[in-house]
Amino acid sequence: MLSRTLNSSGRLLGLLAAPSRSSSHFVYSPDTKCPEVAGSRTKMNMFTAINNALDLAMDKDATALLFGEDVAFGGVFRCSMGLQKKYGRERVFNTPLCEQGIAGFAIGAANVGATAIAELQFADYMFPAFDQIVNEAAKNRYRSGNLFSCGSLTVRAPCGAVGHGALYHSQSPEAYFAHTPGLKIVVPRGPIKAKGLLLASIADPDPCIVLEPKTLYRASVEEVPDAYFESPIGKADVLRTGGDITLVGWGTQIHVLTEVAEMAKKQLGVNCEVIDLVSILPWDKETVCNSVKKTGRALIAHEAPLTCGFGAELAAAIQEECFLHLEAPIQRVTGWDTPFPHVFEPFYLPDKFRCLDAIRKSIDY
Amino acid sequence: ARIFMRSRILLQSTKHQRSLTTQLDKSDMNSADGKNPRFPGATAPFTSTPHVTYAENATPIPIYRVMDPDGVMEDKSQDPKLGQETIQKMFRDMVLLNTMDKILYESQRQGRISFYMTNFGEEASHIGSAAALTPTDLVYGQYREAGVLVWRGFTISEFIDQCYGNVDDEGKGRQMPVHYGSKKLNFVTISSPLATQIPQAAGAAYALKLKEGNDRCVIVYFGEGAASEGDCHAAFNFAATLDAPVIFFCRNNGFAISTPSSEQYRGDGIAGRAAGYGMAAIRVDGTDVLAVYNATKVAREYVMKTNKPIILEAMSYRIGHHSTSDDSSAYRSPEDLEVWNTVEHPINKLKNFMRSKGWWNEEDENAFVKSIRKQVLSQISLSEKKPKPDWREMFHDVYYDLPVHLQEQLKQMEEHVEKYKEHYPLKDFKH
């Protein structure tokens, strides 16, 4: 945990802020599918959009509590900046360094009707809270016959590759939680989506996990609506239409796939349909399968390892629903079945070249 | 030399910086004298010898009791003066629990319910603590706290319907027997994973504290074995640092299944940990219902007045097997049990006290036990005959709404059941 402290409060932030991100494996594409929300817009990056969402949620709901490790001074990624000053130490506070405690404490607060917004500092450190999330939060309503629930609980955690995060500052644990009935899991691709999904999760009557790709905190900038709005949970976004192959991803990988679609058009003359799954659980089977029925080909890409990654669930469902429409085996381009490495990160990630090669294989099949 | 040069520069800088430097120099000297340590992590003096704090030198926290085994009060000032009616309710509730346990244990042996856990020897912990709380105080439990529900008015039919998982079980038949819950009685539904409820109770207490005019505290029960879980550590530390008005009620009955407490910890029980967390503690004789009542009352007053947590450790002995899946004779002798089943038994102690007051007579007790036996037995045959809930309830309450994928799975199962109905126990389920 020592390395975490060093990394999170110092080195990692410093490097994130550094302008020289030439080695980044993606090019950020701002959101063109912005929801129609009335009123003004402000240029925000993802952490300021999250901060804005938390501010609106705290303002709207007097029972809302915001807590976790180091959230009081603004958070190691600045997501809770200024909120303790605005809402007081009783509503925005640091907890002891203990993830199972944070999750358990949050469930209890939600049990008595408070809106509990818990931060786990890195998704890599969600595992100590796994029992509380999987055995307790997810099953609260079911096991009590709806006498009790912790639906007003939201867990936020920074996830995904960041260039140099190695084993414990890079993980994408969505598939572990996707195997748990009772949870909802979402992953934003940028500031607008992060704000909408976070507000939807906080308002949702079920326990939600928001996995925030940390590399986007500063790298992504969009004109975000200032007003309160929610992005629907369980709904995928078709970001680019095309007739030759369906590309499905979420989080940072969306930006890889958007670039790959452009490369495929230019280099191969292939028209890709790009879908941001947005919501891992429940996931939007209808949108994905309608697309694959049209294109006849599918590529799924995620940073997490291949075996039992969420891509496996997508591939199985697509195969079942679209069997007669498929022209080629479903391609999965993912992280390898290894821990997430430090110096080998460029060889680990499902980057644009690996994705483009998979498109080529699918088309040539 | 370079360090010297830098301090010279400092001394020559602005007036403000100069005074700061002087202050620092002064306290540096104090530190050197061993008087004013400046470490942020502890408030403690320096010592000039290697001071080891030995566990053996710690004074054990004493066990508070009001009655001796003969029901005699050693110190009359400790009489809670509850009056005949309350004392008789305490006694009857303990006897009810004990009687129900005996029959449900037997019915599991006969294969009528799938599982059961008795409360033998711990009846006073439940009833004494429940009586000292207000009915709106929120209870989180482990699984061996059925007496708290008895005190609050959970009915024999509610207990037995849950054990059968029939159509009248508010939990809709989804959990194993003895996993009770009651919204109206402020008793949060029990779950099997040990100690998970402890940090939850701290969170609930914190959120309740922030409600205007809050008059509720939270009590959370757990065994001494569960106290070894990481969640217990989390809860103690969170409640202490975040000022949560929660009573951590530890039932220390000497065993976690087969593991004796000597293999569970080396310190002064669970109450002995409180100081390490900066928490108050009280240890009580858990076989003395009046002592448990007084201690819980004191604990409740403390948490409500200070918004701080307290550990209340009730010492007792688990007389029954751990559960119906356990045979405790494999790890302890019947001789050990004998004393706890007689002189040290919580029901005997209260009976002796009542006898001294002239509030007990044998005929009344026999008639009461007989009537409870009758109620429990007739409820068993009633609960047994009730249908289980509609099997479609399996899909509900996973989420607030039924999401599309669960709607599809429900439909699949409906079609399957329709096609293969002779292979499923449909007649046992409501439709």
Side-chain angles (χ1 to χ4, degrees):
Chain A
M1 297 242 173
L2 178 66
S3 75
R4 167 160 49 140
T5 315
L6 289 173
N7 252 329
S8 57
S9 50
R11 248 182 293 157
L12 193 57
L13 266 180
L15 284 174
L16 268 174
S20 59
R21 296 280 299 148
S22 55
S23 64
S24 175
H25 70 287
F26 68 96
V27 175
Y28 181 76
S29 336
D31 216 330
T32 51
K33 297 278 290 182
C34 185
E36 287 183 23
V37 181
S40 57
R41 285 166 188 258
T42 303
K43 201 170 225 184
M44 299 183 198
N45 63 23
M46 202 170 82
F47 86 71
T48 48
I50 289 165
N51 182 263
N52 174 242
L54 293 171
D55 189 5
L56 291 172
M58 300 292 290
D59 185 60
K60 183 172 176 253
D61 175 1
T63 74
L65 306 173
L66 180 63
F67 51 91
E69 293 155 15
D70 307 301
V71 304
F73 88 114
V76 297
F77 290 111
R78 321 318 279 151
C79 292
S80 52
M81 283 292 282
L83 297 178
Q84 187 183 63
K85 199 168 174 216
K86 191 164 175 189
Y87 297 104
R89 303 171 68 87
E90 286 193 317
R91 293 185 58 199
V92 180
F93 51 92
N94 289 338
T95 65
L97 203 166
C98 180
E99 287 76 13
Q100 64 196 100
I102 294 169
F105 187 89
I107 292 167
N111 280 159
V112 296
T115 295
I117 309 165
E119 177 177 307
L120 297 178
Q121 206 162 71
F122 285 86
D124 312 65
Y125 306 122
M126 292 179 87
F127 302 113
F130 200 73
D131 184 43
Q132 285 285 356
I133 293 171
V134 170
N135 272 333
E136 295 291 317
K139 297 170 176 57
N140 224 270
R141 188 190 299 281
Y142 188 78
R143 71 173 183 222
S144 70
N146 203 22
L147 293 180
F148 296 92
S149 88
C150 62
S152 55
L153 160 67
T154 300
V155 174
R156 297 176 40 239
C159 73
V162 69
H164 50 274
L167 287 81
Y168 308 112
H169 297 86
S170 308
Q171 291 182 56
S172 297
E174 64 272 9
Y176 291 103
F177 297 104
H179 199 55
T180 305
L183 298 177
K184 289 184 178 174
I185 307 157
V186 293
V187 190
R189 63 174 177 271
I192 296 172
K193 209 69 191 170
K195 176 173 174 179
L197 283 174
L198 180 53
L199 287 172
S201 298
I202 292 168
D204 193 90
D206 292 307
C208 295
I209 296 175
V210 185
L211 295 170
E212 302 165 356
K214 67 182 89 64
T215 194
L216 301 178
Y217 278 136
R218 284 163 192 268
S220 61
V221 179
E222 284 164 359
E223 295 284 336
V224 180
D226 291 312
Y228 180 98
F229 69 94
E230 293 178 12
S231 294
I233 298 171
K235 191 86 196 73
D237 290 336
V238 181
L239 298 177
R240 176 189 175 116
T241 50
D244 299 329
I245 184 167
T246 302
L247 315 183
V248 187
W250 51 89
T252 315
Q253 194 64 22
I254 283 307
H255 305 293
V256 176
L257 293 178
T258 304
E259 195 184 352
V260 166
E262 205 50 49
M263 289 162 78
K265 175 81 189 157
K266 282 196 186 125
Q267 297 179 26
L268 311 173
V270 169
N271 289 315
C272 300
E273 183 144 304
V274 177
I275 297 179
D276 178 0
L277 196 64
V278 180
S279 179
I280 306 294
L281 188 67
W283 69 279
D284 187 353
K285 192 157 81 175
E286 194 186 356
T287 298
V288 172
C289 289
N290 282 346
S291 173
V292 178
K293 280 176 192 165
K294 180 179 78 177
T295 62
R297 290 180 167 83
L299 180 155
I300 303 151
H302 56 66
E303 290 180 10
L306 177 74
T307 301
C308 289
F310 198 66
E313 178 59 34
L314 292 177
I318 292 168
Q319 178 272 140
E320 198 178 359
E321 293 283 317
C322 313
F323 190 71
L324 294 176
H325 300 269
L326 284 172
E327 305 282 351
I330 299 160
Q331 300 286 322
R332 283 187 288 156
V333 186
T334 70
W336 304 114
D337 285 342
T338 68
F340 198 111
H342 188 213
V343 300
F344 310 122
E345 181 171 319
F347 299 92
Y348 174 88
L349 284 173
D351 66 6
K352 57 190 173 192
F353 306 107
R354 283 176 60 203
C355 289
L356 187 68
D357 188 52
I359 291 174
R360 203 188 299 264
K361 279 179 188 152
S362 179
I363 297 294
D364 293 347
Y365 185 79
Chain B
R2 201 176 293 161
I3 293 165
F4 174 75
M5 285 294 288
R6 277 172 61 182
S7 61
R8 292 294 300 169
I9 293 162
L10 262 178
L11 287 170
Q12 286 162 15
S13 60
T14 64
K15 201 173 171 184
H16 170 74
Q17 276 173 331
R18 207 158 43 232
S19 70
L20 196 71
T21 313
T22 322
Q23 274 174 22
L24 289 175
D25 284 347
K26 255 190 202 160
S27 27
D28 273 342
M29 282 169 68
N30 284 341
S31 297
D33 286 348
K35 283 177 189 163
N36 285 312
R38 291 203 301 259
F39 305 110
T43 309
F46 281 117
T47 170
S48 57
T49 55
H51 183 88
V52 179
T53 305
Y54 293 101
E56 307 85 274
N57 295 346
T59 314
I61 294 173
I63 303 162
Y64 169 65
R65 77 172 184 183
V66 172
M67 297 183 282
D68 69 11
D70 296 325
V72 176
M73 282 190 196
E74 288 154 351
D75 178 351
K76 296 280 185 236
S77 77
Q78 294 305 303
D79 185 351
K81 299 199 172 74
L82 288 169
Q84 185 174 352
E85 206 176 307
T86 307
I87 295 286
Q88 278 174 339
K89 175 171 163 54
M90 285 178 153
F91 183 74
R92 285 177 166 229
D93 282 0
M94 285 160 69
V95 170
L96 186 158
L97 178 62
N98 187 273
T99 308
M100 185 172 72
D101 273 355
K102 283 175 182 157
I103 301 172
L104 288 176
Y105 180 81
E106 282 311 314
S107 67
Q108 193 283 332
R109 299 276 96 171
Q110 295 162 12
R112 301 173 81 165
I113 55 175
S114 62
F115 179 78
Y116 196 70
M117 299 177 106
T118 63
N119 302 277
F120 301 141
E122 298 187 55
E123 295 89 342
S125 291
H126 307 179
I127 302 301
S129 58
L133 300 169
T134 64
T136 54
D137 288 340
L138 188 65
V139 179
Y140 282 83
Q142 180 166 301
Y143 48 63
R144 214 184 297 282
E145 295 90 9
V148 175
L149 279 166
V150 171
W151 178 267
R152 288 192 172 191
F154 207 63
T155 60
I156 288 173
S157 60
E158 286 174 302
F159 280 116
I160 298 177
D161 284 339
Q162 196 283 331
C163 290
Y164 276 94
N166 65 30
V167 72
D168 286 332
D169 167 23
E170 280 201 297
K172 304 182 187 171
R174 293 179 185 136
Q175 289 212 88
M176 285 173 79
V178 311
H179 290 55
Y180 309 117
S182 174
K183 182 81 177 167
K184 63 181 186 294
L185 301 178
N186 296 298
F187 190 99
V188 180
T189 302
I190 298 295
S191 73
S192 307
L194 288 178
T196 49
Q197 78 279 16
I198 316 178
Q200 293 168 13
Y206 185 89
L208 287 177
K209 175 184 81 168
L210 299 191
K211 287 191 179 172
E212 210 169 311
N214 176 50
D215 58 358
R216 304 170 70 187
C217 78
V218 177
I219 188 164
V220 53
Y221 295 88
F222 52 97
E224 88 288 350
S228 295
E229 290 281 2
D231 273 330
C232 187
H233 159 66
F236 286 0
N237 203 26
F238 274 56
T241 55
L242 297 169
D243 295 330
V246 54
I247 301 171
F248 292 114
F249 192 109
C250 178
R251 298 177 293 96
N252 190 335
N253 63 18
F255 292 91
I257 307 187
S258 71
T259 305
S261 50
S262 60
E263 292 170 24
Q264 199 64 246
Y265 53 75
R266 276 294 144 85
D268 178 28
I270 310 305
R273 294 177 195 172
Y277 291 97
M279 228 190 309
I282 183 166
R283 176 176 280 154
V284 66
D285 179 350
T287 66
D288 174 350
V289 70
L290 301 181
V292 176
Y293 174 87
N294 282 349
T296 309
K297 202 128 190 116
V298 165
R300 188 181 191 282
E301 274 160 24
Y302 172 80
V303 302
M304 292 309 290
K305 202 169 137 192
T306 62
N307 276 330
K308 286 179 177 169
I310 190 169
I311 298 180
L312 196 168
E313 184 178 24
M315 310 307 292
S316 66
Y317 188 91
R318 195 196 75 214
I319 294 173
H321 303 298
H322 164 69
S323 73
T324 47
S325 310
D326 172 52
D327 175 9
S328 64
S329 66
Y331 51 83
R332 60 186 190 185
S333 69
E335 294 78 42
D336 281 355
L337 278 178
E338 187 51 28
V339 64
W340 293 100
N341 234 336
T342 54
V343 282
E344 296 288 358
H345 198 283
I347 295 178
N348 279 348
K349 288 182 186 180
L350 187 61
K351 190 190 291 184
N352 290 340
F353 172 76
M354 290 170 74
R355 212 184 258 136
S356 72
K357 292 271 190 186
W359 294 345
W360 179 84
N361 83 55
E362 197 168 357
E363 274 171 38
D364 281 358
E365 189 187 331
N366 290 342
F368 182 70
V369 169
K370 214 172 148 187
S371 87
I372 294 298
R373 281 191 67 85
K374 210 173 142 192
Q375 282 180 57
V376 172
L377 288 168
S378 68
Q379 187 59 50
I380 284 177
S381 51
L382 272 175
S383 294
E384 222 164 30
K385 287 191 195 89
K386 289 183 195 176
K388 309 280 183 221
D390 187 331
W391 64 264
R392 291 169 189 82
E393 280 295 347
M394 176 167 71
F395 291 93
H396 293 283
D397 302 327
V398 178
Y399 295 94
Y400 179 81
D401 287 321
L402 202 61
V404 175
H405 69 288
L406 282 183
Q407 289 173 28
E408 283 172 6
Q409 290 172 26
L410 171 56
K411 193 162 159 269
Q412 277 175 31
M413 192 58 192
E414 276 177 332
E415 287 165 5
H416 175 81
V417 167
E418 184 52 35
K419 200 168 165 188
Y420 295 93
K421 47 178 163 300
E422 68 275 21
H423 300 298
Y424 292 90
L426 284 175
K427 64 173 177 36
D428 300 339
F429 291 78
K430 190 187 160 191
H431 44 267

